[in-house]
Amino acid sequence: AALTPVFSAAVLTVTVVAVMAAWQTSTSQASLPAITPYTKWVTEDVAYIITDEERAAFKRLQSDQECEHFIEQFWLRRDPTPGTPQKEFKEEHYRRIAYANQHYAAATPGWKTDRGRIYITYGPPDEKESHTTPVTNEQWLYHYIEGVGTNVVIEFVDPEKTGEYRMTTDPAVTNALVRAPEDRPVTNPATPRA
C-alpha cells in the first residue's frame, strides 16, 4: 500500500513525458518550412548580397513562376553588361562561393564562415597578411569599400588553431560590412580563380 502513491507518480511522470515528447515532435515537424530551391537561394546563395527590401518582396511571392521571375530580375539588375548573354555578376558571385567553400571551410561550409562572408561580399582583399604568433590571424586590407571607407583592415583570428577564423575589428566597421550591399560583387581582374 505504501508503494501505490510512488507507483502512481511514476506512471504519471512517464505518461506526461511521453505525451510531451510526442507533442514536441509533431509541433516541430509541422512548423518547419519545406526546404525548396527557392528557400535555399534566398537563405544561402544570395544571403549576403540581397537587400532587405528584396528579401521581403521575395517572401511575399506565391508561385514558383513568380520566384523564377524574381530571381531572373535579381541577376539582371546587377548585370554590368545588360543585353549580352554573359552574366558576369552572377558568375562572379557563384565563383566566390565556390572559392570560399574550397579555401575557408572548417567545421562549417566556407560560405558560412566570416572569411567566406567577407570574400563573397567584397571579393579578394587587396593585400593579405598571415601571422601565427601570438595568435593565428589574418589581416585583409581593402584599399576601398564603397559605403565603408578607404584602407579598411579586417582581422580574422583563430586562437584555438582549428581553422575556424572569426572576424574581429572596430564595431563601426563591422556594422557597415555586414549589411547587404546593393551592387556587389564587382568583377575584379586580380581575383584568384577557384
Side-chain angles (χ1 to χ4, degrees), residues 105-125:
T108 57
W111 74 270
K112 285 185 170 184
T113 66
D114 287 348
R115 291 185 301 168
R117 177 171 43 89
I118 296 300
Y119 185 88
I120 291 166
T121 306
Y122 300 107

Side-chain angles (χ1 to χ4, degrees), residues 20-35:
M20 290 299 292
W23 175 77
Q24 287 177 342
T25 302
S26 66
T27 302
S28 64
Q29 288 174 350
S31 64
L32 290 176
I35 300 296

